[in-house]
Amino acid sequence: MNAIEIRGLTKRYSDFTLQNVSFSVPMGSIMGFIGENGAGKTTTIKSILGLIRPDSGEITVLGMDPKTDRKAIGREIGAVLDGSFFFEGMRAKDIAPILARLHPQWDNELFRQYCQRFSLPMSKPIKEFSKGMKAKLCLVTALAHRPKLLILDEATSGLDPVVRSEILDVFQEFIEDENHSILLSSHITSDLEKIADYITFVHQGKIVFSLSKDEMLERYGLVKCGREDAARIDPAHIAGRRDSRFDVELLIDNRQDAGAYRGLLVEPATIDDIMTFFGKGAENK
């Protein structure tokens, strides 16, 4: 069973449309969800969580429908949305009894252990926490009711590398038994290159691809060459192009077909390269 299955998801607004989005998050994996600001990531995540109603399409979360099984799904998932912090007059020790009433599987001892691991003071007002401490507290509360699925929207945004490294370690531990999964939306593509098993890329409301990370990195490459050499590359495999005064840089989608680029240097493309070319270079194809 896939942890999440989305088929033909569409949501229309006056100035934006999420169009026919389809992808799956396999059980026991981390799916990196990437795209520029306004591409449709948060709309997709809110649809998965049942916070907005799509115009069309089907969503299944752990075998359940968010439209009819929202409460049951809520017991099995932990969600952290961008900027979702607690009332700042509260303390960490105040949060546990409140959430224990909402989640039948809440584990006070696990909450305490995570707070200790992340050096989160139990009696200090949250308003005195740093941004990194607040982010870790949100993650701890998402984990403490022992969910099967984590859904995270920019949960590590703006955090320093040390804090992010701590959180990435927890993500990897979470999926070790292959019965837990994570959907992680993030602009920090270096983090996704470290831990993601799959990457789904949404651009201007449409899915560009949903691939295993290894397949994505194998497929896409960068070619830097003169205009004459660029002219002999099959346009069907040029995913993005950027022209400078002296040469051309191309994003190609068949790097594994090395014979097509005899005499040209083809370098691997990072996730950041792919996003940049689609965001700024695709119009120059």
Side-chain angles (χ1 to χ4, degrees):
M1 182 180 70
N2 289 319
I4 300 172
E5 293 186 4
I6 301 175
R7 296 289 178 268
L9 175 64
T10 298
K11 178 66 178 179
R12 299 179 183 87
Y13 296 97
S14 59
D15 58 349
F16 171 77
T17 300
L18 189 70
Q19 303 178 57
N20 197 32
V21 165
S22 299
F23 67 91
S24 300
V25 179
M27 190 67 75
S29 71
I30 298 176
M31 172 70 79
F33 194 29
I34 64 172
E36 71 276 13
N37 288 332
K41 302 188 302 298
T42 298
T43 299
T44 302
I45 287 174
K46 287 184 176 180
S47 298
I48 294 170
L49 295 174
L51 299 177
I52 61 175
R53 185 175 291 273
D55 295 318
S56 61
E58 298 180 356
I59 302 174
T60 303
V61 181
L62 300 172
M64 296 177 281
D65 186 337
K67 295 192 296 290
T68 58
D69 304 314
R70 184 175 172 184
K71 288 185 178 180
I73 291 172
R75 290 192 289 267
E76 300 292 350
I77 66 173
V80 179
L81 305 182
D82 187 20
S84 58
F85 298 131
F86 296 96
F87 174 64
E88 297 211 331
M90 297 178 69
R91 299 163 295 179
K93 68 179 182 180
D94 300 326
I95 294 170
I98 295 172
L99 294 182
R101 292 196 293 269
L102 298 174
H103 295 287
Q105 299 178 150
W106 180 267
D107 189 329
N108 275 318
E109 178 59 22
L110 184 61
F111 178 76
R112 186 194 64 79
Q113 289 175 5
Y114 272 124
C115 284
Q116 186 175 37
R117 174 175 177 175
F118 286 139
S119 300
L120 296 175
M122 300 294 287
S123 300
K124 187 176 182 178
I126 293 172
K127 64 183 177 182
E128 297 179 16
F129 280 23
S130 67
K131 184 173 183 179
M133 292 169 69
K134 291 176 181 178
K136 288 190 283 188
L137 180 60
C138 287
L139 178 60
V140 166
T141 56
L143 289 165
H145 68 279
R146 297 189 178 277
K148 293 180 180 178
L149 171 64
L150 285 178
I151 298 179
L152 309 166
D153 188 11
E154 299 295 343
T156 61
S157 176
L159 304 182
D160 66 65
V162 174
V163 173
R164 294 204 325 270
S165 180
E166 289 182 278
I167 292 176
L168 295 184
D169 287 343
V170 172
F171 292 166
Q172 290 181 311
E173 293 169 9
F174 181 75
I175 64 160
E176 278 181 354
D177 66 358
E178 299 185 357
N179 292 315
H180 296 80
S181 309
I182 299 175
L183 176 63
L184 174 58
S185 166
S186 179
H187 285 108
I188 307 173
T189 57
S190 59
D191 288 350
L192 299 179
E193 288 181 344
K194 291 177 184 176
I195 66 167
D197 301 296
Y198 299 89
I199 300 290
T200 295
F201 179 21
V202 60
H203 176 63
Q204 298 180 349
K206 299 178 181 179
I207 295 296
V208 177
F209 60 74
S210 187
L211 301 168
S212 73
K213 182 181 65 180
D214 291 342
E215 183 179 354
M216 181 202 69
L217 295 175
E218 176 70 18
R219 177 179 296 185
Y220 286 92
L222 296 177
V223 179
K224 193 170 185 179
C225 60
R227 288 177 175 77
E228 289 186 4
D229 285 326
R232 65 184 177 89
I233 295 176
D234 185 349
H237 292 295
I238 299 176
R241 173 177 177 139
R242 291 189 297 199
D243 289 79
S244 66
R245 183 176 178 182
F246 300 106
D247 53 29
V248 177
E249 192 171 19
L250 305 171
L251 177 71
I252 52 98
D253 64 5
N254 64 335
R255 185 172 72 91
Q256 68 276 18
D257 187 10
Y261 304 101
R262 189 172 293 109
L264 299 179
L265 177 62
V266 182
E267 297 181 340
T270 65
I271 297 174
D272 197 46
D273 290 329
I274 295 168
M275 287 185 62
T276 298
F277 267 92
F278 273 93
K280 294 184 178 180
E283 67 268 19
N284 295 323
K285 283 179 62 177

